[in-house]
Amino acid sequence: PYDTVEVKHAPAENGLIAHAVGSGRVVTSDDLQADGKSAYWSQEAAKRNLHAAAAVPLRIEGAVVGVLSLVFSERERFAETETDLFNTIGENISFALDAMKHDGDRRTAEAALKESEERYRSAFENTTIGLYRTTPDGQILMANSALVEMLGYRSPEELRSRDLKKEGFE
């Protein structure tokens, strides 16, 4: 289960998560209970004996779509190396989120293409007009059953065996 935090309204509007969403940057607190950034979260941290926290923004295509919230039971002194590490974690997760989105987009496009190809093939095969497709040198690539029947052939393969460049078009 995931918690949803509404960052534009109390009590979360002044918390670390809201600041991370608003700024798009990692936000840390060395001591949640004492830093005064959010009275509500200070009280919640005291109830749970939590002290330090980091809020790491997560992005899809550059837009912040969520926050990874890391909470620690001890007071921490977040140095630049930790903040850099949190940034790297956020960038790596964001990269994975982008990859999953693009993979989903690719799958959607492939499904739409497959459906379009099926509609084309159905229209090609089921029309009462004789249709065929050839290469520039006269090799028949496709012929529908209406054309096969109109020209008196037994199968599309028999029709495809013709060399239209030598024999001409009917």
Side-chain angles (χ1 to χ4, degrees), residues 16-38:
L16 293 181
I17 293 171
H19 287 288
V21 169
S23 69
R25 298 188 348 215
V26 171
V27 179
T28 62
S29 171
D30 295 334
D31 190 346
L32 287 169
Q33 294 180 31
D35 71 7
K37 289 181 181 174
S38 170

Side-chain angles (χ1 to χ4, degrees), residues 31-33 41-52 71-75:
D31 190 346
L32 287 169
Q33 294 180 31
W41 294 115
S42 295
Q43 292 168 7
E44 289 300 309
K47 284 182 201 175
R48 293 173 172 79
N49 198 29
L50 300 172
H51 293 280
V71 185
F72 303 88
S73 59
E74 290 110 27
R75 287 177 188 82

Side-chain angles (χ1 to χ4, degrees), residues 123-132 143-156 158-159 162 169-170:
F124 184 87
E125 287 297 325
N126 295 316
T127 187
T128 57
I129 300 168
L131 299 173
Y132 65 102
N144 69 355
S145 54
L147 181 66
V148 172
E149 188 178 314
M150 284 178 189
L151 298 178
Y153 290 94
R154 290 184 291 257
S155 70
E158 185 182 356
L159 178 59
R162 292 196 50 203
F169 297 82
E170 296 188 23

Side-chain angles (χ1 to χ4, degrees), residues 28-110:
T28 62
S29 171
D30 295 334
D31 190 346
L32 287 169
Q33 294 180 31
D35 71 7
K37 289 181 181 174
S38 170
Y40 174 81
W41 294 115
S42 295
Q43 292 168 7
E44 289 300 309
K47 284 182 201 175
R48 293 173 172 79
N49 198 29
L50 300 172
H51 293 280
V56 181
L58 305 175
R59 295 175 174 77
I60 295 178
E61 294 181 341
V64 176
V65 296
V67 172
L68 172 64
S69 181
L70 305 167
V71 185
F72 303 88
S73 59
E74 290 110 27
R75 287 177 188 82
E76 295 286 336
R77 289 281 173 212
F78 294 118
E80 189 174 329
T81 55
E82 283 90 2
T83 304
D84 288 345
L85 175 62
F86 297 149
N87 274 315
T88 300
I89 290 168
E91 289 167 3
N92 289 340
I93 293 172
S94 297
F95 178 82
L97 292 172
D98 276 340
M100 290 187 309
K101 180 185 185 311
H102 292 290
D103 187 53
D105 292 347
R106 180 189 53 79
R107 286 187 209 171
T108 300
E110 285 174 352

